[in-house]
Protein backbone atom coordinates (compact mmCIF):
# COMPACT_ATOMS: atom_id res chain seq x y z
CA UNK A 1 0.00 0.00 0.00
CA UNK A 2 1.16 3.51 -0.67
CA UNK A 3 -0.38 6.82 0.19
CA UNK A 4 0.57 9.50 -2.31
CA UNK A 5 -0.53 12.89 -1.02
CA UNK A 6 -2.74 15.23 -2.99
CA UNK A 7 -2.67 18.76 -4.24
CA UNK A 8 0.33 20.72 -3.10
CA UNK A 9 0.45 23.97 -5.00
CA UNK A 10 3.80 25.45 -3.93
CA UNK A 11 4.73 26.06 -7.56
CA UNK A 12 1.48 27.83 -8.42
CA UNK A 13 0.04 24.65 -9.89
CA UNK A 14 -0.94 21.19 -8.76
CA UNK A 15 2.29 19.25 -8.26
CA UNK A 16 0.59 15.88 -8.74
CA UNK A 17 -0.14 16.64 -12.39
CA UNK A 18 3.13 18.40 -13.12
CA UNK A 19 4.58 16.88 -16.30
CA UNK A 20 7.96 15.23 -15.86
CA UNK A 21 9.82 13.01 -18.31
CA UNK A 22 6.76 11.87 -20.28
CA UNK A 23 4.25 11.45 -17.46
CA UNK A 24 2.93 13.30 -14.43
CA UNK A 25 4.53 13.17 -11.00
CA UNK A 26 1.60 11.20 -9.55
CA UNK A 27 1.83 8.64 -12.38
CA UNK A 28 5.57 8.24 -11.73
CA UNK A 29 5.05 7.72 -7.99
CA UNK A 30 2.24 5.21 -8.49
CA UNK A 31 4.37 3.29 -11.01
CA UNK A 32 7.39 3.34 -8.69
CA UNK A 33 5.56 1.86 -5.73
CA UNK A 34 3.19 -0.51 -7.50
CA UNK A 35 5.83 -3.20 -7.74
CA UNK A 36 6.22 -3.33 -3.95
CA UNK A 37 2.91 -2.07 -2.57
CA UNK A 38 -0.65 -3.26 -2.96
CA UNK A 39 -3.18 -1.87 -2.80
CA UNK A 40 -2.12 1.60 -3.87
CA UNK A 41 -4.12 4.60 -2.65
CA UNK A 42 -3.81 8.20 -3.80
CA UNK A 43 -5.26 10.89 -1.57
CA UNK A 44 -6.53 13.79 -3.66
CA UNK A 45 -8.08 17.14 -2.87
CA UNK A 46 -11.79 17.67 -3.58
CA UNK A 47 -12.22 18.23 -7.31
CA UNK A 48 -8.51 17.77 -8.03
CA UNK A 49 -8.13 16.52 -11.61
CA UNK A 50 -5.93 13.45 -11.90
CA UNK A 51 -4.89 11.31 -14.85
CA UNK A 52 -6.10 7.72 -15.09
CA UNK A 53 -4.17 5.85 -12.38
CA UNK A 54 -3.66 2.21 -11.47
CA UNK A 55 -4.56 3.13 -7.89
CA UNK A 56 -7.62 3.77 -5.80
CA UNK A 57 -8.23 7.52 -5.46
CA UNK A 58 -9.59 8.72 -2.12
CA UNK A 59 -10.81 12.31 -1.92
CA UNK A 60 -10.14 14.59 1.04
CA UNK A 61 -13.30 16.19 2.33
CA UNK A 62 -11.70 19.61 2.87
CA UNK A 63 -8.81 21.36 1.12
CA UNK A 64 -5.69 22.57 2.86
CA UNK A 65 -5.79 20.60 6.11
CA UNK A 66 -2.29 19.22 5.73
CA UNK A 67 -0.68 15.84 5.24
CA UNK A 68 -1.56 14.42 8.67
CA UNK A 69 -5.27 14.23 7.85
CA UNK A 70 -4.54 12.67 4.45
CA UNK A 71 -2.16 10.18 6.03
CA UNK A 72 -4.82 9.15 8.52
CA UNK A 73 -7.32 8.62 5.72
CA UNK A 74 -4.86 6.53 3.72
CA UNK A 75 -3.78 4.44 6.71
CA UNK A 76 -7.42 3.78 7.54
CA UNK A 77 -8.03 2.55 3.98
CA UNK A 78 -4.91 0.37 4.14
CA UNK A 79 -6.01 -1.12 7.47
CA UNK A 80 -9.45 -1.87 6.02
CA UNK A 81 -7.65 -3.64 3.13
CA UNK A 82 -5.87 -5.85 5.66
CA UNK A 83 -2.46 -4.14 5.69
CA UNK A 84 -0.45 -3.71 8.89
CA UNK A 85 2.18 -1.47 7.29
CA UNK A 86 1.94 1.23 4.66
CA UNK A 87 4.51 3.14 2.66
CA UNK A 88 3.46 6.79 2.89
CA UNK A 89 4.91 9.17 0.34
CA UNK A 90 4.35 12.45 -1.43
CA UNK A 91 3.68 12.83 -5.14
CA UNK A 92 6.53 15.30 -5.64
CA UNK A 93 9.28 12.64 -5.65
CA UNK A 94 10.12 12.01 -9.32
CA UNK A 95 12.97 9.57 -8.57
CA UNK A 96 11.20 7.45 -5.96
CA UNK A 97 12.32 3.84 -6.23
CA UNK A 98 11.30 0.44 -4.95
CA UNK A 99 14.82 0.15 -3.49
CA UNK A 100 13.94 2.91 -1.01
CA UNK A 101 10.85 0.99 0.07
CA UNK A 102 12.92 -2.19 0.46
CA UNK A 103 15.47 -0.33 2.58
CA UNK A 104 12.77 0.82 4.99
CA UNK A 105 10.44 -2.17 5.19
CA UNK A 106 13.06 -4.56 6.63
CA UNK A 107 13.68 -2.43 9.73
CA UNK A 108 9.95 -1.69 10.03
CA UNK A 109 9.20 -5.40 10.33
CA UNK A 110 12.24 -6.25 12.47
CA UNK A 111 12.00 -3.33 14.92
CA UNK A 112 8.20 -3.25 15.22
CA UNK A 113 8.41 0.57 15.27
CA UNK A 114 5.33 2.64 14.60
CA UNK A 115 7.14 4.67 11.93
CA UNK A 116 10.39 4.11 10.03
CA UNK A 117 11.72 7.17 8.23
CA UNK A 118 14.70 7.79 5.99
CA UNK A 119 17.07 10.37 7.46
CA UNK A 120 19.76 12.20 5.50
CA UNK A 121 20.25 15.12 7.84
CA UNK A 122 16.51 15.65 8.05
CA UNK A 123 13.43 13.49 8.47
CA UNK A 124 11.47 12.58 5.36
CA UNK A 125 7.99 12.20 6.84
CA UNK A 126 6.41 11.64 3.43
CA UNK A 127 8.67 8.77 2.40
CA UNK A 128 8.32 6.32 5.28
CA UNK A 129 6.76 3.13 6.53
CA UNK A 130 3.83 3.63 8.93
CA UNK A 131 1.80 1.16 10.97
CA UNK A 132 -1.82 1.31 9.91
CA UNK A 133 -2.99 1.18 13.52
CA UNK A 134 -1.80 4.79 13.94
CA UNK A 135 -5.20 6.06 12.79
CA UNK A 136 -6.46 6.52 16.37
CA UNK A 137 -3.33 8.50 17.30
CA UNK A 138 -3.71 10.65 14.19
CA UNK A 139 -7.39 11.32 14.97
CA UNK A 140 -6.43 12.45 18.47
CA UNK A 141 -3.68 14.74 17.19
CA UNK A 142 -5.99 16.28 14.58
CA UNK A 143 -8.71 16.79 17.21
CA UNK A 144 -6.10 18.61 19.33
CA UNK A 145 -5.37 20.94 16.40
CA UNK A 146 -2.20 19.29 15.11
CA UNK A 147 -1.66 19.14 11.36
CA UNK A 148 2.01 18.21 10.98
CA UNK A 149 3.60 14.85 10.39
CA UNK A 150 6.28 15.83 12.89
CA UNK A 151 3.66 15.89 15.66
CA UNK A 152 2.83 12.27 14.87
CA UNK A 153 6.46 11.14 14.60
CA UNK A 154 7.31 12.78 17.92
CA UNK A 155 4.40 11.07 19.71
CA UNK A 156 5.12 7.44 18.75
CA UNK A 157 8.06 5.03 18.39
CA UNK A 158 9.83 6.42 15.32
CA UNK A 159 13.04 4.93 13.98
CA UNK A 160 15.29 6.67 11.49
CA UNK A 161 17.36 4.88 8.87
CA UNK A 162 20.45 6.87 7.92
CA UNK A 163 20.61 7.34 4.18
CA UNK A 164 23.33 8.56 1.87
CA UNK A 165 23.02 12.33 1.59
CA UNK A 166 22.93 11.89 -2.18
CA UNK A 167 19.91 9.51 -2.11
CA UNK A 168 18.22 10.49 -5.37
CA UNK A 169 14.98 8.71 -4.45
CA UNK A 170 14.37 11.29 -1.69
CA UNK A 171 14.55 14.25 -4.07
CA UNK A 172 11.35 16.25 -4.04
CA UNK A 173 10.15 19.03 -6.30
CA UNK A 174 9.15 22.14 -4.36
CA UNK A 175 9.89 24.85 -6.91
CA UNK A 176 10.26 25.01 -10.68
CA UNK A 177 14.01 25.35 -10.10
CA UNK A 178 14.02 21.82 -8.60
CA UNK A 179 13.10 20.30 -11.97
CA UNK A 180 16.07 18.96 -13.93
Amino acid sequence: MVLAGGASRRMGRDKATLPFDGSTLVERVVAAVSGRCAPVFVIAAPGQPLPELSAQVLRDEVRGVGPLVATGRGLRAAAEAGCDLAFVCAVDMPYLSDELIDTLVGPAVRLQADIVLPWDGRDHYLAGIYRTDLTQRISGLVAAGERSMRALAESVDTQRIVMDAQQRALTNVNTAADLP
Side-chain angles (χ1 to χ4, degrees):
M1 178 273 171
V2 65
L3 163 67
S8 177
R9 300 184 67 85
R10 295 176 93 182
M11 294 192 318
R13 68 167 293 162
D14 178 6
K15 289 197 300 186
T17 58
L18 183 68
F20 181 79
D21 201 26
S23 63
T24 64
L25 288 179
V26 68
E27 289 170 313
R28 289 181 66 87
V29 168
V30 168
V33 300
S34 291
R36 296 290 191 273
C37 304
V40 176
F41 298 98
V42 174
I43 308 301
Q48 177 185 11
L50 291 174
E52 190 73 28
L53 298 170
S54 58
Q56 185 176 352
V57 176
L58 305 174
R59 297 281 175 181
D60 278 336
E61 295 172 10
V62 179
R63 279 189 184 272
V65 293
L68 187 59
V69 173
T71 298
R73 184 173 174 96
L75 291 178
R76 194 171 309 106
E80 290 170 0
C83 301
D84 295 324
L85 297 172
F87 178 67
V88 175
C89 68
V91 296
D92 62 355
M93 302 174 71
Y95 305 113
L96 184 66
S97 67
D98 52 2
E99 290 86 14
L100 176 65
I101 299 168
D102 292 344
T103 298
L104 299 173
V105 77
V109 171
R110 187 176 67 255
L111 299 172
Q112 295 293 304
D114 295 313
I115 302 171
V116 176
L117 299 175
W119 186 86
D120 62 358
R122 69 179 185 94
D123 287 323
H124 291 271
Y125 300 109
L126 295 178
I129 303 289
Y130 289 71
R131 293 218 169 270
T132 58
D133 63 7
L134 289 172
T135 56
Q136 295 276 12
R137 174 68 63 132
I138 292 170
S139 293
L141 288 168
V142 170
E146 293 290 345
R147 296 291 184 260
S148 76
M149 297 297 287
R150 177 178 307 198
L152 174 62
E154 290 177 353
S155 71
V156 297
D157 179 17
T158 300
Q159 300 293 314
R160 279 115 177 132
I161 305 301
V162 177
M163 307 296 282
D164 179 357
Q166 302 301 314
Q167 177 64 257
R168 189 174 191 208
L170 294 173
T171 301
N172 65 6
V173 177
N174 288 317
T175 68
D178 292 338
L179 291 171

